[in-house]
Amino acid sequence: MAKIVLGVSSSIAIYKACDLIRALQKRNHEVQVVMTSKATQFISPHLFQALTAKPVLVNLFGEREAERLEHINLARQTELLLIAPATANIIAKMATGIADDFLSTFYLAVECPVIVAPAMNEAMYLHPRTQANLAELYRQGVVICEPEKGYLACGEEGWGRLAEIETIVDLAQKVLASREKWKNKKILITAGPTREPIDPVRFISNRSSGKMGYELAQEGRRRGAEVILISGPTSLPSPYKVKVIRVETANEMKREVEKYFDEVEVIIMAAAVADFRPAEVMNSKWKKTQGVPEIKFVLTEDILGYLMVHPLRQEKIIVGFAAETENLEAEAKKKLKEKGLDLIVANNISCPGIGFEADFNDVLILDRYGQQIHSGIKSKREISQLIFEAIEAYREKLT
Ligand code: CTP
């Protein structure tokens, strides 16, 4: 049972909000409705008040004395903010931080998870501005309950129909459950490539973009964990509410991992750490007139190798990655065992369009108990969810 605030905005799908309230109450949740003022032109707040036995909040500076600071008090108590149906307008306001009514102000005040279930005409939903706003909300940690394709209230067929009530409620249950699982837990994630300098202007690196690690960081945060992201050089923006530590070399990455290792419970080594670095870094730029340099390479420090012999190793769940061009399963099993990992995520980097630099991946997730998940080709965002599900399932086996 959770305290849920249901934000209702002025989509024609508003009539479904009544069923949604009932479905949430059936699962024993306490529902408080907040409406936008335009929504009150579709349905009277009295209806929601009757269903929830609570006054509906609409205005920031309402008539009731209590309403004036309500958004702060209510924000502290709320365990889930669910906005359904969500119009293009409320999505745009949330994305940009406009706070001109109770609901949009409330969004800025809450610390709890937020789910948005859009409902609008297809052209509005697919408009690049709306899509960009939804992407921004995702970056801010909001869970998007994607609309479905079907008959729309405007008389057209298309994308934009509010997700089924059961889908929304199931998602709410899932979000609340994962919050419980990750409450007060810290995760350390490494991401991106490392850069190993040759001279002041040159380095060797690899093709990792950091996308997988950054998606994992966002997913961890969305599930309610505290996330520390140690990132090699990438062009990606820092995920919202994630502590990002930027490093360049394998050595620097190792130093930061060491620093935070004690305080975290889960470590996900998604970084493509360089295996070799030039034995010597030249102090000044190597000039062409000096001829072709002969560079001697040495191995970088093995970060996972260091973690595995750490005295606190047994208290942690360590997830490694493996980038392979052939024999994916056999290599993954070998690395899982040899490196003493709890889980391994192996990706095939030989197929164009997936893996390094791509938005998609195709991975095999193995755990120490023989559990195997083959993702198939999916977005890195979806794969990050699968990885977290695998970690959660593994954790349950440990308890
Ligand atoms: N890794 C690490 N320290 C390094 C190199 C890699 O901790 N110096 C980690 C990576 O972050 C990844 C895992 O080791 O989680 C496996 O990396 P991968 O390059 O696939 O495997 P290697 O052990 O380096 O083996 P090889 O390159 O020979 O396949």
Side-chain angles (χ1 to χ4, degrees):
M1 143 147 198
K3 284 186 191 242
I4 298 179
V5 166
L6 176 66
V8 177
S9 63
S10 63
S11 153
I12 305 174
I14 192 170
Y15 65 95
K16 296 181 182 169
C18 300
D19 287 340
L20 182 54
I21 293 169
R22 280 278 182 251
L24 291 168
Q25 287 170 333
K26 257 194 210 148
R27 311 250 181 144
N28 289 327
H29 297 305
E30 191 183 317
V31 183
Q32 160 76 61
V33 174
V34 173
M35 293 174 83
T36 62
S37 59
K38 269 194 260 163
T40 64
Q41 292 172 13
F42 272 121
I43 287 187
S44 159
H46 291 115
L47 178 62
F48 293 132
Q49 184 163 337
L51 286 172
T52 59
K54 285 179 199 300
V56 170
L57 300 163
V58 180
N59 301 312
L60 208 44
F61 303 105
E63 284 148 29
R64 292 181 310 121
E65 182 68 26
E67 227 169 335
R68 298 200 182 132
L69 271 179
E70 195 103 41
H71 63 286
I72 301 296
N73 293 333
L74 190 62
R76 285 195 197 113
Q77 298 158 14
T78 303
E79 288 161 274
L80 175 71
L81 169 61
L82 167 60
I83 301 178
T87 57
N89 187 46
I90 188 72
I91 289 168
K93 287 207 286 186
M94 289 165 72
T96 48
I98 293 173
D100 62 354
D101 63 2
F102 196 102
L103 184 55
S104 51
T105 308
F106 189 65
Y107 168 65
L108 294 182
V110 291
E111 289 281 342
C112 67
V114 180
I115 301 178
V116 158
M120 65 196 77
N121 155 280
E122 181 179 71
M124 292 171 77
Y125 174 64
L126 295 179
H127 193 284
R129 193 60 259 165
T130 305
Q131 288 301 314
N133 288 336
L134 284 167
E136 170 56 23
L137 283 190
Y138 186 84
R139 198 188 71 80
Q140 291 173 22
V142 171
V143 178
I144 316 290
C145 185
E146 302 288 351
E148 293 169 3
K149 195 173 182 179
Y151 179 74
L152 302 169
C154 56
E156 290 171 14
E157 282 274 315
W159 288 104
R161 197 172 72 169
L162 184 71
E164 291 296 329
I165 301 301
E166 274 313 299
T167 309
I168 301 174
V169 175
D170 286 349
L171 184 61
Q173 295 289 100
K174 229 169 124 180
V175 167
L176 287 165
S178 78
R179 281 278 154 157
E180 261 328 291
K181 288 181 194 155
W182 293 99
K183 202 156 123 189
N184 301 326
K185 301 277 188 265
K186 276 194 195 175
I187 306 178
L188 189 154
I189 298 171
T190 64
T194 63
R195 266 184 197 170
E196 309 301 329
I198 297 170
D199 71 6
V201 292
R202 303 177 180 96
F203 56 81
I204 63 154
S205 189
N206 57 59
R207 291 176 54 202
S208 168
S209 60
K211 284 178 188 165
M212 193 65 244
Y214 277 61
E215 284 294 351
L216 283 162
Q218 299 204 56
E219 187 56 29
R221 178 66 214 146
R222 210 176 319 284
R223 284 174 191 248
E226 199 178 311
V227 180
I228 301 164
L229 177 66
I230 301 177
S231 170
T234 73
S235 54
L236 302 170
S238 296
Y240 189 66
K241 286 193 176 173
V242 165
K243 179 172 181 155
V244 183
I245 297 157
R246 299 204 181 252
V247 296
E248 288 244 340
T249 64
N251 240 331
E252 285 167 21
M253 186 171 275
K254 178 169 177 275
R255 220 175 306 136
E256 293 301 327
V257 171
E258 275 175 40
K259 205 189 289 176
Y260 293 99
F261 186 71
D262 289 9
E263 58 187 85
V264 301
E265 190 203 324
V266 176
I267 295 101
I268 309 178
M269 286 288 299
V273 186
D275 287 324
F276 317 106
R277 64 177 167 80
E280 309 238 345
V281 182
M282 299 171 207
N283 288 331
S284 50
K285 187 183 168 192
W286 180 269
K287 302 295 267 179
K288 222 165 28 187
T289 48
Q290 294 172 266
V292 178
E294 271 183 26
I295 301 169
K296 185 171 176 272
F297 287 99
V298 291
L299 284 172
T300 55
E301 294 198 61
D302 183 354
I303 307 175
L304 274 178
Y306 158 83
L307 299 183
M308 291 311 157
V309 294
H310 194 284
L312 296 177
R313 157 71 186 106
Q314 292 314 322
E315 295 169 25
K316 319 282 175 185
I317 293 177
I318 303 185
V319 185
F321 268 66
E324 306 295 342
T325 46
E326 53 215 2
N327 303 330
L328 188 67
E329 189 177 335
E331 286 299 319
K333 281 185 175 157
K334 194 165 142 233
K335 279 187 189 170
L336 178 73
K337 202 159 170 233
E338 281 176 5
K339 292 179 187 271
L341 296 163
D342 294 283
L343 293 108
I344 193 156
V345 181
N347 51 338
N348 185 342
I349 51 162
S350 62
C351 301
I354 56 169
F356 278 152
E357 294 174 315
D359 290 328
F360 290 83
N361 214 347
D362 184 0
V363 303
L364 185 65
I365 309 169
L366 307 180
D367 80 9
R368 239 207 317 224
Y369 297 110
Q371 174 81 21
Q372 281 202 23
I373 300 163
H374 184 196
S375 69
I377 297 177
K378 289 208 163 64
S379 70
K380 288 187 174 172
R381 183 166 297 175
E382 287 169 290
I383 288 185
S384 69
Q385 292 163 2
L386 286 179
I387 295 171
F388 267 91
E389 281 165 22
I391 298 172
E392 287 174 3
Y394 180 79
R395 247 161 130 214
E396 271 162 34
K397 288 179 211 157
L398 296 180
T399 50

